[in-house]
Every structure is written in C-alpha cells, then in structure tokens.
Amino acid sequence: MLDGLLMFRDQDSSMKRRLFVSCLSGAALLMSFLAAPALAESGHHEKRPEAHEWSFAGALGRFDRAQLRRGFKVYKEVCSTCHSVKLLAFRNLSQPGGPEFSEKEVVELAASYKVRDGPNDSGEYFERPARPSDRVPPPFANEQAARAAMSGAYPPDMSVLVKARGYGRGFPTFLFDAIPGFSYQEHGVDYVASLLKGYSEPPHDMKIPDGQYYNAYMAGNRIGMPPPLSDGAVTYDDGAPQTVDQYARDVTAFMMWVAEPHLEARKRIGLGVISFLIVFAGLLYFTKRKIWSNVAH
Amino acid sequence: MSTKNVTETTPAEPNRRDILYIATGAAATVAAGGMVWPLISQMNPDASALALASTEVDLAPIPLGQIVTVKWRGKPVFIRHRTADEIKAAQDTPLTELPDPEADSKRAQKPEWLVVIGVCTHLGCIPTGKSGEFDGWFCPCHGSTYDVSGRIRSGPAPTNLEVPKYAFLSDKKIKIG
Amino acid sequence: MDGHSQYTPKSGFARWLERRLPIVSFMYDSFVAYPTPKNLNYMWTFGAILSFMLVAQIVTGIVLAMHYTGETTLAFNSVESIMRDVNWGWALRYAHANGASMFFLAVYIHMARGMYYGSYKEPREVLWILGVVIFMVMIATGFLGYVLPWGQMSFWAATVITNLFSAFPVVGGPIREWLIGGYSVDNPTLNRFFALHYLLPFIIVAVVALHVWALHVTGQNNPTGVEVKDVKKETVPFTPFATMKDGFAIGVFLVIYAWMTFFVPNYLGHPDNYIEANPLVTPPHIVPEWYFLPFYAILRAIPNKLLGVIAMFLSILIMAALPWLDKSPVKSGSYRPLFRKFYWVFIAVSIALGYLGAQPAEGVYLWLARIASLYYFLHFVVILPLLTKYEKPEPVPESIDASVAAGSVTHA
C-alpha cells in the first residue's frame, strides 16, 4: 500500500514523499520504543515458541502424508484419551490433501469405534460401530464429565486448536508476517509443538500446585496437562524416530490439517489465482495506457 | 517512448492494439467466470451430504411379511420381506394388465426382498403399505394403488415405484446407493 | 455538467423504452459520457475499488448466509462446516472475512484522499457528509458481522460494545437490554445481529447511490482543487478513460486481496475467535478488528465511561463537520504548505492510535493514547480553523489545463 500512498503526483511530489517517509519512520521509531516496555512488562516468563520447519508453511506448502499418518497415530494412542476432535469425520481421513488413508482403511478404522445412535424402534439409544460419515466420537460426553474426570481441568477440543493459539511477534516483525516472501502464519503450530516439548523442572523460586505442571511456553508457566509424550511411547512403522520431538511435530502437523483440511487446495488455487491476476492487471495497465496515450494528463 | 496510434489502414488485419484489447477482454471473461463458479458450485450438496449418499441395512431383523421403512438421501425406502403367496402373486401377474409393464424378476434381486423408494410417482406423497386393492401400497393423496411388486395398477401415478440402486453385501445385508 | 456525447436510441425497442423509462440514457450519461477531470491520479480510483468491494461483500455474504446458522449452539460449527464441507466454502468465507478488511483499507485511503485534496469543501459538503454516513453504516455492519462466527472475540466484542450504551444515564440500561434482547448477549442477540448484518449492506447501497448522485451533480474534485472550467478540454469521458484506469486499479487491488485470502487468511483475525463463545470466560485481551482500533483507543483513553463513549462517537461524527472547520479557499493540500505538514502528522497520529488501541490500556500506552486522542480532536477544532486564518497558500494554477501543461514540462 505504500506504493499507493506514494502515487500523489504534482509539482512538489519529492518534497511530499520526503515528508511522508519521515512521518512513517517517526511513527515506526515511536512504536518500537513502545514495544520494548511491552515485552518487559508482561510479568510472566513464557519462552517465545521456537520456529520449526513445517512442510505446509509458505506459498508452496504441502502436507507430508507420512507425517499426518504418524500424527494421527499419536493422536489416537495418546491425545484421544482426553481430547476430542469433534469436527473431524472419519471420511476426512481419506479425502485429498490429508493423510489420504484408503477408503478401505477408513471403513475399518471407523468400525473400531463405537458411536451412539438412536432412538431405535423401541425408543432406546444404542451403540453401533462408526461409519466413515460419522464424526470421531469424543472421550467424554460433555464438558462437565471431562472436568469431573480431570480434577477440574477441561482438555480443549483439538479440531481448530492450532488456529486458536498464537503469540505476539511484536513490532515491526508482525508487519512482515503478512508480506509475500516473509509471510509467517505458523504461530499456532510453533506454539503447540513447543509446548508439547516444553515440560521441565520449575525454577526453584516457583511453586507449582499439585495437579499442575511447569511448562516453559504456557501462559503463566503452569499447565494442567501432564507431560503427554515420552520417547518410544508410540510405535512408528515407517522408521521415523520415536522421540518426543518427532511425536510433537507429527501430532502438531496433524492438528494443522484437522484445523485447515483444505490448506493444500487453498495454496494451490491461490497460486493460480494470483499468477492470473498479475497477468490480468498487466493487460489492464497496457490497455489503460493505450487509451490514455493521446491525452495529456 | 509514447507510440502514436496506428491509423486503421487495414481493418481486416488485427493490429497490436486490437490484440491487446482482445486479450484484456478475454482475461476479464476468465476472471468473471472464475469468480462466479464458486458462487454456483457452493449450492451443490456438500461433503457431509455426499457422505450419506449410501446406507447399509441389516435385513435379519425384518420378519416375514413385514415392511420396514429406512431413510436414504432424505427419502423413505420400503423394504418388504415378501411371503411365498405375495411372490407368487407378483410373478404371476400378466404384464398386459400393467400400465407400466415390468416383470417382478426385474424389480427384486431376490424374490423375498422388495426394495423400493417410498415416494408415489404421481406427486411425491408417501403411500401406505399393505393396503389397497392389490395389498401393495395405496397413496392417500390421489388414490394410486400399487401391487406387492410396487407396480402401479390404478390411479393417476404414471409409473411404478422406483427401485433404488442397491446390492447384497451378504445374504442378510444390503447397501442402498 | 454537459457530457462528451449523447445517447441516441438506435433500435425501435430502444426508442420505445426511452420514451417510457429513460434508464439506458441515464446509465449512458452517468457511466459513459460523464466527464471526469483528466488530471486525476490513482488516489481517485478508490471509489471504484470500494464499489467493487461492496458488491463482492454482498455476493459472498448472501452465499455464506445460505450455509450459516444464526443460533448460539450451532453458529460456530456452521461456520466450520462451511470451512470443511461446503464446496468452495473455505474460499468464500476467507474472501468475505478478508474482504471486510480490504473494504476498510480502501475506505480509509478514500477518506484520506478526500481530506488531503479538500474534497469536502464547497460545493461538495453533502457528498462528503453522505460519505461519513456510509462509513458509519460500514462500521455497524463490520461489527455485526464479526459477532456471527460466535467465537470468543465475537461474543466479548458484542458484550463490550453493547455495554457502551449503558453509559448513558437512566436510559442506558434499558437501551442495552433492548439492543441485545435480554440481560446478557445470547441467542436473541445473535439472531438479530444476523438479520441486521444482512440488512445494512443494502442500506449502504442506497446511500452509495445518493453519494454517487451528489458526485455527479458537482463533478469530481481533482488534485489541483481547481474546478473544471472547460469541459471539452479539461475532462475526458468516464468510459473508456476512467473505467480502464479504475479497472487497472481494481486489478492491482485484487492481487493484494487474493494474497490475503489465499495465503495469510487469518493474519488479520484473532486466534481467540477460533474458540467457541463462552460467556463464563473472558479472553485476557479483548481487541476489536484492526479497522476499529483508532476509535477503540480513543474510547479507552478517557477515564470516564460516558465521556469515553461520547468521545468515540464524536471522533467519527466530527468528520462530518470538516467543511465548516476548514474554510480555507484553497482546496488542495498541494498548495497549502502548512496544512500539508499537519495533515501528515494527523495521519501518523491516527496510525499511532490504531497501534495503541491494540495494546493493553495501561502505563505508557494509556498516556500516549490520551495525548494522541487529544491531538486528534485538536486537529479538527483548533488546527484546521487556525490554518484557515493564518496560512499563506502557494499560488494555485489558473486551470486544470494550465497545471497539466506545467506538469508535463517538469515530467519531460
């Protein structure tokens, strides 16, 4: 948009440009001065999430199918004991752009879950094996049941969790996060992956109440979720390392896909749309120039 | 660098300006089409509706002589466990007596099981089972009567009750759709 | 103003229609022959960009309404089913959500252009005031729309903004209950917000029609601020000249819009809005969408609730008074050296207010927000009237043609 603002055109445009630029840089200086106390003031000692390499980041990003399958395995064997993924249907697992299990695998997988259905002809609710069109059944019937079982804590639904988390990047970084070539949209996944690996002993001046755990990345550094991952807890059959680091990245990638199942299509189509629009804008420009070529303006 | 407009000396041959205008117009058409398509496509059945496009039915609990109704794509499907007498009646009916001639063997994959969509072919009402002159179905709206093969016998309905696409997965299990 | 050419119905049907409803000649006069100053720069393309965005928002909005459910237990999931199951649903929803931001971005540039070149001055006061009305209806529409996904920010924005009305003594409480249809934001609120969010864009269309009508009565301002003296020499017909230029500008704008929609669709959103609304938990920081931040900063800057609310409404309403606050006979900022400096300071202060609106209202931020808010109002009620009185403008060109001739000499 800077270009747009600089398009003022008259006799003293250079002067105006100078003034405008000095205004902007003045504002920038003011803001960076403002941002500094903000970081110092925040009171807690959360660490800034570390940046991970994600195959789905950037304009050409695509999911790594093997990683999504491993991530689903981690979800199924670890997370799903407490966390629901209410918006995920079994059929999604075979759709393009996801883990792309075969339809047969999905039918078998679904059948291994029980879902509540009914009422039947005698007016009763009953359980039946799930079908691909069903959503993945939650571990708890409702929030109250979860809290009762989890000594008061409520494990959030994981369907869009990575889009519901993020962290402030501060001025001026956050401005670059939107710009082609610099764009950064992985706040949520970096945070979640860091958090899964962020358990450690608390600093000695910090008291952690019973039923809570120290986590370097959690707001306030106290988290109700016990460390969910440990080396070797989930067996991978594709030879990927069975480490907490690998599990954390795999399950977070899976969560990204659950939160944004059309991410691949979005980026692929977006690339086509933008390339076309650039050509189109170019054509419009030359047509406009042709039309105006005989008018002094 | 500014180019004077070429005067149109040879209108038959498109000059550079015309090509530019045509290309821009074509691109604008593509742009408009690209923007309109998602707006049209979004009205098609969505992925969750498509996922319910087929349904499996267990036939084992259906007693002989009974009709059960299952919902498939939002419509009722009648599954009739026919008795030997009913099968005989359906098979022995001469095709010449039928307004929409169709052999029973063409309509029922296995004679003891009749699967039809329970929507009257007249104006879309739901016929009631085991009623009417032929002990098949009777539509309360305008009095169409169907026989035990779901074929139209009298009344305003033009055709037989539709048989949906279905397949036997096992002896006692079918998949509709 | 006289056009460049006149519509003459050619076919028999066209002549028949012309005698009964001269709509074709009306369109021809308004969008083909309509004379536009030939020296307009690209800042003048934002009117067309805004028209495009208004249509885009209405079309994507109608389509989204076909899949959205305005009920508290279903709203969040219906938006998610749009994102997951509806054909192209993700594209339509992201286009609509980012479209709101692009719409406001364009309207701010449009307003800033009007302020720089004095487009609010005689004889365009009514045109300008209609613009302020459009802006206010846009704010209402944007706010109502943000509530619909029923995330945490939706819910708490609705709670906080409707609470503003309770600031008014005696009538405040009952007004708020009337607005939200209960004692707290709940299903009746969501349902009526949906209905109103669908209605208001059509009100915008109506006011835009008046805005364009007023524009076509007075004709466009231009970078010199000197009125058109010779229509034949100083203007060009709207089509193809302005249409093509606007088309190119829309093309460039679309590239940015597409980038936002397809590659950084959640950049301008808040993560908390992906958490379903929960009336029992307030997010640690409640921030409005970026386009409301300057006004939000003014609201919070004032320690008294009622005065804060009044100041916020005034900060928008005061723009309608611009034609009477700045009475300098010279329209364009290009010939007003002092005004120009203050103009850019005003823009910087507005951007700073936007930044401060996103920060917690405490400590140094609060004080800076107070200073910036004070300056915002001073700009309108003190600086502009004083400039009118004491500023010595530079010589203004005799005519548009004279300016173009002089300009082309410097450019050559």
Side-chain angles (χ1 to χ4, degrees), chain A residues 8 10 16 34 38 174 262, chain C residues 84 116-117 267 334 365 368:
Chain A
F8 287 98
D10 41 49
K16 184 162 312 124
L34 294 174
F174 83 89
H262 297 295
Chain C
R84 286 153 195 276
Y116 184 86
Y117 291 109
Y267 174 73
S334 303
Y365 295 127
L368 284 166

Side-chain angles (χ1 to χ4, degrees), chain C residues 120-133:
Chain C
Y120 45 81
K121 291 185 183 180
E122 194 279 315
R124 297 185 180 83
E125 299 95 326
V126 172
L127 171 63
W128 175 259
I129 291 170
L130 286 167
V132 176
V133 172

Side-chain angles (χ1 to χ4, degrees), chain A:
Chain A
M1 275 351 280
L2 289 186
D3 284 350
L5 284 172
L6 287 171
M7 278 180 193
F8 287 98
R9 192 175 47 208
D10 41 49
Q11 287 88 330
D12 55 352
S13 66
S14 72
M15 145 99 195
K16 184 162 312 124
R17 199 162 305 191
R18 252 197 345 266
L19 195 68
F20 173 65
V21 169
S22 63
C23 272
L24 260 200
S25 45
L29 255 176
L30 178 76
M31 287 178 190
S32 47
F33 152 72
L34 294 174
L39 289 174
E41 267 172 41
S42 66
H44 299 303
H45 307 280
E46 299 95 33
K47 267 169 76 181
R48 208 182 165 78
E50 59 176 288
H52 296 75
E53 288 272 327
W54 299 108
S55 67
F56 51 81
L60 299 169
R62 299 284 181 272
F63 286 114
D64 172 351
R65 313 264 164 254
Q67 183 173 45
L68 292 187
R69 287 172 190 214
R70 292 195 302 270
F72 175 67
K73 195 157 196 261
V74 176
Y75 167 74
K76 188 168 180 272
E77 293 179 15
V78 181
C79 318
S80 70
T81 44
C82 304
H83 292 272
S84 54
V85 266
K86 287 181 196 155
L87 298 172
L88 179 70
F90 291 106
R91 63 184 157 83
N92 297 138
L93 292 164
S94 62
Q95 77 194 16
E100 295 185 359
F101 288 110
S102 71
E103 283 187 26
K104 193 163 159 284
E105 284 172 305
V106 169
V107 171
E108 282 165 15
L109 176 80
S112 69
Y113 284 78
K114 289 262 182 289
V115 292
R116 211 166 106 98
D117 201 348
N120 61 13
D121 292 342
S122 45
E124 280 152 6
Y125 286 88
F126 58 93
E127 288 206 322
R128 60 162 174 82
R131 296 189 278 255
S133 57
D134 289 315
R135 301 231 165 136
V136 177
F140 301 105
N142 49 54
E143 183 178 336
Q144 285 74 9
R147 284 192 192 277
M150 296 275 124
S151 56
Y154 177 50
D157 182 76
M158 284 184 20
S159 309
V160 285
L161 194 59
V162 288
K163 291 207 295 194
R165 294 291 182 274
Y167 63 97
R169 301 253 291 162
F171 180 87
T173 321
F174 83 89
L175 291 176
F176 293 107
D177 289 350
I179 292 172
F182 300 92
S183 69
Y184 173 78
Q185 291 297 291
E186 286 69 41
H187 307 69
V189 277
D190 277 340
Y191 170 78
V192 170
S194 299
L195 182 117
L196 289 172
K197 297 182 281 180
Y199 290 87
S200 64
E201 285 299 309
H204 37 259
D205 59 334
M206 189 181 232
K207 268 257 191 293
I208 301 289
D210 270 355
Q212 295 213 315
Y213 303 85
Y214 176 80
N215 190 301
Y217 301 95
M218 183 73 184
N221 293 134
R222 292 181 186 89
I223 189 168
M225 173 170 72
L229 303 170
S230 57
D231 288 343
V234 178
T235 309
Y236 282 159
D237 39 26
D238 65 353
Q242 300 179 162
T243 59
V244 169
D245 176 68
Q246 187 70 35
Y247 294 151
R249 282 185 288 121
D250 291 351
V251 78
T252 310
F254 171 73
M255 287 167 76
M256 184 69 234
W257 169 72
V258 176
E260 191 85 25
H262 297 295
L263 180 143
E264 283 192 12
R266 192 186 84 213
K267 293 190 173 180
R268 197 183 57 241
I269 293 167
L271 216 57
V273 168
I274 287 190
S275 320
F276 169 79
L277 283 175
I278 288 171
V279 173
F280 184 36
L283 283 170
L284 287 168
Y285 175 72
F286 287 114
T287 307
K288 178 249 151 195
R289 227 176 55 155
K290 203 92 190 168
I291 283 170
W292 281 80
S293 59
N294 284 337
V295 180
H297 59 282

